[in-house]
C-alpha cells in the first residue's frame, strides 16, 4: 500500500514539475521574442536614446492594453465559436455575441487611436508609419522562421 502511495506522489510530482517547466519554457520564449522585437523596431525606426526612452513606455503600455482586450474577447466568445456550439445558439445569443465582438473591436480601435495620438508628441509621423511597417515585417519574419523550423530547414 505504501508503495502505491509513494508511486502516486512521485507521478504527481513529476507531472507538476513537467508542467512548470513547460510554462517556464513558454515564458522564456515569449521574453526572447519580445527582446528581438524591441531590437528590430528600435533599429527599423532609428530611435535616438531620447526617443527610445519616451517611446518604449508608451509602446509597452499599448501592448499590455491590446493583450488585455484580446484576452477578454477570447474569454467572452471565442471559446463558444466551434460549429456545434454555433448551431445551438439562439438568434438573441448570436446577436449578443456579435455585439460583444463589435465592442471589443471598437475598444481595440480606440486604444490604437489613443496610442498613435500619444506617439505624435514623441516621434515623427514618418516614424509612426515605419512602426506599423516594422511590426508587420517582424511578425512576417517570425512566422516564416516558425514555418521553416516546422519544415526542418
Amino acid at each position: 500500500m505504501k508503495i502505491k502511495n509513494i508511486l502516486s506522489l512521485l507521478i504527481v510530482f513529476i507531472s507538476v514539475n513537467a508542467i512548470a517547466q513547460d510554462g517556464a519554457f513558454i515564458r522564456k520564449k515569449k521574453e526572447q521574442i519580445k527582446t528581438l522585437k524591441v531590437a528590430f523596431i528600435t533599429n527599423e525606426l532609428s530611435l535616438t536614446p531620447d526617443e527610445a526612452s519616451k517611446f518604449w513606455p508608451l509602446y509597452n503600455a499599448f501592448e499590455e492594453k491590446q493583450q488585455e482586450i484580446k484576452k477578454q474577447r477570447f474569454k467572452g466568445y471565442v471559446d463558444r465559436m466551434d460549429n456545434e456550439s454555433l448551431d445551438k445558439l439562439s438568434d438573441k445569443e448570436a446577436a449578443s455575441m456579435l455585439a460583444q465582438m463589435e465592442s471589443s473591436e471598437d475598444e481595440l480601435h480606440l486604444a490604437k487611436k489613443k496610442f498613435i495620438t500619444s506617439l505624435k508628441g514623441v516621434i515623427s509621423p514618418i516614424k509612426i508609419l515605419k512602426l506599423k511597417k516594422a511590426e508587420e515585417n517582424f511578425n512576417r519574419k517570425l512566422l516564416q522562421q516558425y514555418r521553416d523550423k516546422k519544415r526542418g530547414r
Side-chain angles (χ1 to χ4, degrees):
M1 190 68 168
K2 286 184 179 183
I3 292 176
K4 282 185 179 180
N5 289 340
I6 292 172
L7 197 55
S8 296
L9 284 173
L10 185 60
I11 290 171
V12 168
F13 176 74
I14 290 170
S15 298
V16 168
N17 191 28
I19 290 168
Q21 286 178 352
D22 195 37
F25 176 77
I26 291 169
R27 280 190 298 280
K28 184 179 176 185
K29 284 294 181 190
K30 283 183 180 181
E31 283 302 314
Q32 287 175 338
I33 291 169
K34 185 174 181 174
T35 300
L36 291 171
K37 186 176 184 180
V38 167
F40 186 83
I41 289 173
T42 299
N43 184 52
E44 291 293 306
L45 287 136
S46 302
L47 294 174
T48 66
D50 185 49
E51 288 174 330
S53 69
K54 295 173 184 171
F55 171 82
W56 286 111
L58 293 172
Y59 187 85
N60 292 334
F62 170 69
E63 285 280 296
E64 286 177 23
K65 181 66 175 173
Q66 196 174 21
Q67 290 303 317
E68 178 186 314
I69 293 168
K70 288 178 180 180
K71 189 175 181 180
Q72 287 173 352
R73 179 175 58 193
F74 187 77
K75 282 184 178 180
Y77 57 85
V78 173
D79 292 340
R80 301 181 289 179
M81 293 289 278
D82 64 46
N83 286 336
E84 201 171 292
S85 297
L86 287 175
D87 290 338
K88 294 178 183 176
L89 286 177
S90 68
D91 283 346
K92 186 176 181 179
E93 290 170 322
S96 174
M97 283 181 70
L98 284 172
Q100 286 176 343
M101 291 169 67
E102 290 172 351
S103 177
S104 292
E105 291 299 322
D106 288 345
E107 188 177 358
L108 191 56
H109 179 71
L110 289 174
K112 287 178 183 179
K113 284 179 71 169
K114 184 178 176 184
F115 174 61
I116 290 170
T117 300
S118 65
L119 283 181
K120 288 178 181 175
V122 176
I123 59 176
S124 71
I126 291 171
K127 286 187 179 183
I128 294 171
L129 293 173
K130 285 183 177 183
L131 170 63
K132 180 67 176 157
K133 184 172 172 48
E135 288 176 319
E136 289 172 3
N137 288 343
F138 179 81
N139 290 336
R140 195 175 297 118
K141 284 178 82 169
L142 191 64
L143 185 58
Q144 187 60 48
Q145 286 178 355
Y146 174 75
R147 286 178 181 153
D148 290 347
K149 186 176 179 181
K150 200 170 183 179
R151 290 182 193 140
R153 291 184 185 172

